[in-house]
Amino acid sequence: MTVRFEAVGNQFRLNGEPIRIVSGAIHYFRVVPEYWKDRLLKLKACGFNTVETYVAWNIHEPAEGQFCFEGIADIERFVQLAGELGLHVIVRPSPYICAEWEFGGLPAWLLGYTDMRLRCIDPLYLSKVDAYYDALLPKLKPLLCTNGGPIIAVQIENEYGSYGNDSAYLDYLRQGLVNRGIDCLLFTSDGPTDQMLQGGTLPGVLATVNFGSRPAESFAKFKEYRPDEPLMCMEYWNGWFDHWMEEHHTRDAADVAAVLDDMLAADASVNFYMFHGGTNFGFYNGANHIKTYEPTITSYDYDAPLTEWGDITLKYEAVKQVLSRYVNIEETPLPEPIPRKRYGEVRLTRRAGLFEQLDSVSAPISRVNPEPMEKVGQNYGFIVYKTRVSGPRRGQELHLQEVHDRAQVFLNGNYIGAVERWNPQPLHVDIPAEGADLTILVENMGRINYGPLLKDYKGITEGVRLDNQFLFGWEIYPLPLEGALQLQYEETEARPDKDEPAFYQGTFEASETADTFMRLDGWKKGVVFINGFNLGRYWERGPQKALYVPGPLLKKGTNEIVVFELHGARAAVVTLDDKPDLGAETGVDDSIISFTESDKAEEAQA
């Protein structure tokens, strides 16, 4: 049955009847598909009538012209499932989504086009967007409410006013949606400031605002520009995300409920960002860069009403209580609790050193300069640079210019130090008379997802020099760590006295599958794979101390764990526990939650 959803004056109407949108964000690409129904049912049981999701371009077109809409990328199934459960759906497609997601959802291969201008009416950029829309939008069109589906509204671009003011670009995207049959309500969303509302909106297109506190102030600014449109907070930041090397953020449930109450009392609609955060699996975490580079952790728990692992929180209950005073909450039975299990310690008894097997896991590329990943066709992971340095040279300084993001440096196979993007100090080196082999392993820790520094090339981006002498003539080994690695493991223990990158492999038996949490106490930094699935990064600097392992990633019988450790562990043992550990908690200052109201970049000061 065709449904008509529209903005009429200061109201939203569904088939002519007034409706308040009470929505919560759940990103399908941050949740294993087996748990989509669980999360959506809990959303509905809390009193929400709508689910909102971004669409991550880099998930759906990981390589140019190669599209994926299966598994965790099956957006059609996610939307269909929401509709089957009686929920409306708001879709916020790419090209750009921010979302603390790698490159703001833009595919990394765009950076291979060095002359391309992002997020503007650049013909080359728009040609890539058009090709993507040609693949994506035919999948969404049958799911629109105008065609009997659950999608009631689609976003044109995301928080564009905080980035640019190219109204021709916004109109091109709008027209691209319309020409491909997206005939439902279209909208934009921006922070409630003059600059953002001027730069990010379009005449004749519904505008919405994003904030975390002080709704009266935010809506007042919005009304200066759109006095005759419904009030809609498209992103109500009821929690916050974490960066590595910072504390875990939380926000008081009573404060969240009070701000929600204020919004609903003003007759506004709302979308909780996030209702359920999920996980930045693999290499898909993003990063911020205001005064310095700040990579986001693997967990995207966000201190949301549902935890990363799907548990109901005090915030969930407080929100439901407020909603019950404003909307009729349909009685929805909660799904059965998802089991959690402690599998205990797992010894990783086999080891494969990276440098000993470099030629078997990567094909070298010869270049004059140490080129960044994008210039050798690589998107994510790690990259190794090797060269020979003549000697003797005493007391020289080794400079890695603009390393993105963290480099480990080895001389004749011996670790001499790390150079980090946020602490780019040179290393002091002595080269013997016979010369030395210089090897540099660089980790891409996630591309910037917000602000003016989106063009975030990875690897060594400007060159390597000893004092003022640039070093030329390099062998480059891409290490995207995709697919099955052809590693030759040896039965061996960890080498705590040896600082070198290595893969550690082990297995454990499971008589039943359940959610669990992998602790890596005694390990330093790296990436974990379970049954070939990239769980994401760990780092002893925290705050996160355990990685969430959804039960569907396990299987009855033998399960494989591979840890790529960058520095070396005290012992090659991990623990599969039944308890999460996101690190020490800290309250989130109100200035953090409302930061887009002045400048989203101020988050770095929180």
Side-chain angles (χ1 to χ4, degrees):
M1 181 181 70
T2 298
V3 173
R4 188 175 75 259
F5 178 74
E6 55 193 343
V8 181
N10 297 117
Q11 287 184 331
F12 288 117
R13 292 186 184 177
L14 188 69
N15 287 336
E17 297 295 323
I19 182 175
R20 185 201 300 268
I21 298 301
V22 182
S23 175
I26 302 175
H27 299 155
Y28 59 96
F29 47 85
R30 280 180 160 131
V31 183
V32 293
E34 294 87 346
Y35 287 167
W36 287 345
K37 185 175 182 179
D38 174 87
R39 298 344 186 216
L40 290 168
L41 282 172
K42 290 170 179 172
L43 176 84
K44 185 175 181 181
C46 192
F48 290 73
N49 58 22
T50 304
V51 62
E52 176 269 318
T53 186
Y54 279 129
V55 182
W57 184 0
N58 51 16
I59 287 288
H60 295 297
E61 195 177 3
E64 185 172 7
Q66 298 178 18
F67 295 98
C68 176
F69 294 97
E70 300 173 349
I72 205 168
D74 191 350
I75 184 175
E76 291 174 278
R77 182 59 196 138
F78 179 80
V79 172
Q80 289 166 349
L81 180 58
E84 291 166 8
L85 298 177
L87 291 166
H88 305 301
V89 180
I90 295 172
V91 174
R92 302 169 75 190
S94 314
Y96 168 81
I97 62 173
C98 185
E100 291 72 58
W101 191 251
E102 223 278 343
F103 202 9
L106 297 171
W109 52 261
L110 289 176
L111 296 176
Y113 294 93
T114 55
D115 293 331
M116 179 183 290
R117 302 293 183 180
L118 303 174
R119 299 182 72 189
C120 66
I121 200 156
D122 174 73
L124 180 58
Y125 171 67
L126 293 178
S127 71
K128 309 307 177 185
V129 175
D130 283 337
Y132 168 56
Y133 275 9
D134 286 342
L136 171 69
L137 297 182
K139 297 181 179 298
L140 298 182
K141 181 180 175 181
L143 301 173
L144 302 177
C145 62
T146 50
N147 294 318
I151 298 175
I152 58 173
V154 173
Q155 182 173 271
I156 291 175
E157 229 258 16
N158 187 59
E159 294 182 323
Y160 186 67
S162 64
Y163 180 83
N165 67 347
D166 191 344
S167 58
Y169 165 62
L170 290 181
D171 194 58
Y172 185 93
L173 295 181
R174 180 197 65 80
Q175 194 61 49
L177 295 172
V178 172
N179 290 345
R180 292 172 177 86
I182 306 302
D183 58 358
C184 64
L185 183 69
L186 302 180
F187 68 94
T188 60
S189 64
D190 289 274
T193 70
D194 292 306
Q195 173 180 301
M196 295 177 187
L197 289 169
Q198 291 167 22
T201 58
L202 276 177
V205 175
L206 176 74
T208 63
V209 284
N210 303 337
F211 55 83
S213 64
R214 302 192 291 275
E217 178 183 325
S218 298
F219 284 141
K221 175 57 66 175
F222 173 79
K223 287 179 179 179
E224 291 179 17
Y225 289 85
R226 300 294 179 106
D228 300 319
E229 290 186 4
L231 298 179
M232 174 79 183
C233 178
M234 187 53 69
E235 290 187 16
Y236 171 33
W237 306 316
N238 62 97
W240 206 244
F241 57 93
D242 295 335
H243 294 134
W244 292 113
M245 302 176 284
E246 296 177 2
E247 291 183 309
H248 173 51
H249 294 92
T250 63
R251 184 179 179 187
D252 184 70
D255 179 45
V256 169
V259 173
L260 173 64
D261 201 356
D262 289 344
M263 272 194 272
L264 298 181
D267 201 28
S269 290
V270 61
N271 176 52
F272 270 62
Y273 192 95
M274 301 288 296
F275 175 80
H276 170 58
T279 308
N280 295 316
F281 294 119
F283 296 125
Y284 281 108
N285 66 278
N288 289 100
H289 194 305
I290 311 306
K291 293 187 176 179
T292 189
Y293 174 79
E294 299 175 298
T296 303
I297 68 170
T298 299
S299 171
Y300 200 64
D301 177 82
Y302 209 86
D303 191 39
L306 279 191
T307 65
E308 179 184 8
W309 47 97
D311 278 2
I312 287 171
T313 65
L314 291 175
K315 188 175 290 184
Y316 179 103
E317 299 292 355
V319 166
K320 184 174 182 178
Q321 185 176 20
V322 172
L323 290 178
S324 68
R325 300 200 295 269
Y326 292 91
V327 299
N328 293 320
I329 299 179
E330 179 182 338
E331 190 65 32
T332 302
L334 288 169
E336 289 295 316
I338 293 173
R340 298 209 296 260
K341 184 175 177 64
R342 176 183 169 85
Y343 293 94
E345 289 189 349
V346 180
R347 300 195 67 84
L348 308 186
T349 59
R350 305 173 74 212
R351 180 184 181 281
L354 171 64
F355 295 142
E356 296 93 323
Q357 303 192 45
L358 195 55
D359 287 315
S360 65
V361 297
S362 179
I365 302 168
S366 297
R367 290 286 191 273
V368 173
N369 294 290
E371 304 283 5
M373 287 183 179
E374 296 80 4
K375 289 193 176 182
V376 294
Q378 182 183 351
N379 293 335
Y380 312 112
F382 301 79
I383 190 167
V384 175
Y385 302 91
K386 297 181 69 174
T387 193
R388 182 75 181 174
V389 183
S390 61
R393 303 177 187 221
R394 300 293 178 187
Q396 291 202 305
E397 288 190 337
L398 180 69
H399 297 264
L400 278 58
Q401 291 195 191
E402 294 297 322
V403 63
H404 292 185
D405 300 300
R406 186 174 186 270
Q408 294 162 249
V409 183
F410 302 82
L411 205 61
N412 285 336
N414 297 310
Y415 177 68
I416 62 170
V419 178
E420 297 168 323
R421 184 173 180 174
W422 52 93
N423 184 32
Q425 299 300 313
L427 299 176
H428 297 277
V429 297
D430 293 321
I431 307 296
E434 65 273 18
D437 291 325
L438 176 63
T439 303
I440 304 169
L441 170 64
V442 181
E443 179 184 5
N444 166 359
M445 292 188 65
R447 289 181 180 83
I448 294 166
N449 55 252
Y450 176 85
L453 303 178
L454 279 179
K455 273 199 170 184
D456 190 10
Y457 295 94
K458 295 302 184 181
I460 297 174
T461 64
E462 294 292 339
V464 177
R465 55 187 171 86
L466 280 170
D467 288 346
N468 287 331
Q469 184 186 80
F470 279 100
L471 302 180
F472 297 108
W474 294 83
E475 294 294 305
I476 303 175
Y477 295 78
L479 289 172
L481 299 188
E482 298 171 337
L485 296 175
Q486 303 302 313
L487 296 168
Q488 299 298 316
Y489 288 102
E490 296 180 353
E491 298 288 338
T492 184
E493 292 294 320
R495 302 177 185 175
D497 58 335
K498 186 72 171 175
D499 196 325
E500 61 181 5
F503 297 88
Y504 295 83
Q505 190 258 8
T507 61
F508 71 98
E509 298 296 317
S511 59
E512 58 181 349
T513 60
D515 283 5
T516 190
F517 300 86
M518 186 181 297
R519 297 194 63 92
L520 292 114
D521 302 316
W523 300 78
K524 295 180 180 177
K525 192 178 196 304
V527 182
V528 175
F529 300 83
I530 190 154
N531 293 327
F533 183 90
N534 188 338
L535 280 180
R537 311 170 200 268
Y538 64 91
W539 198 1
E540 63 179 354
R541 296 188 190 179
Q544 185 173 5
K545 299 297 184 183
L547 297 181
Y548 172 50
V549 184
L553 298 181
L554 304 180
K555 55 188 178 182
K556 291 182 179 180
T558 303
N559 293 268
E560 180 195 50
I561 297 173
V562 173
V563 175
F564 180 44
E565 164 62 40
L566 297 175
H567 289 279
R570 290 199 304 266
V573 178
V574 301
T575 302
L576 295 174
D577 201 357
D578 58 357
K579 298 180 179 63
D581 189 348
L582 295 179
E585 295 183 352
T586 179
V588 179
D589 187 272
D590 183 66
S591 63
I592 304 172
I593 298 302
S594 61
F595 73 115
T596 291
E597 289 136 48
S598 58
D599 183 354
K600 197 163 187 175
E602 291 304 317
E603 174 273 330
Q605 303 302 313

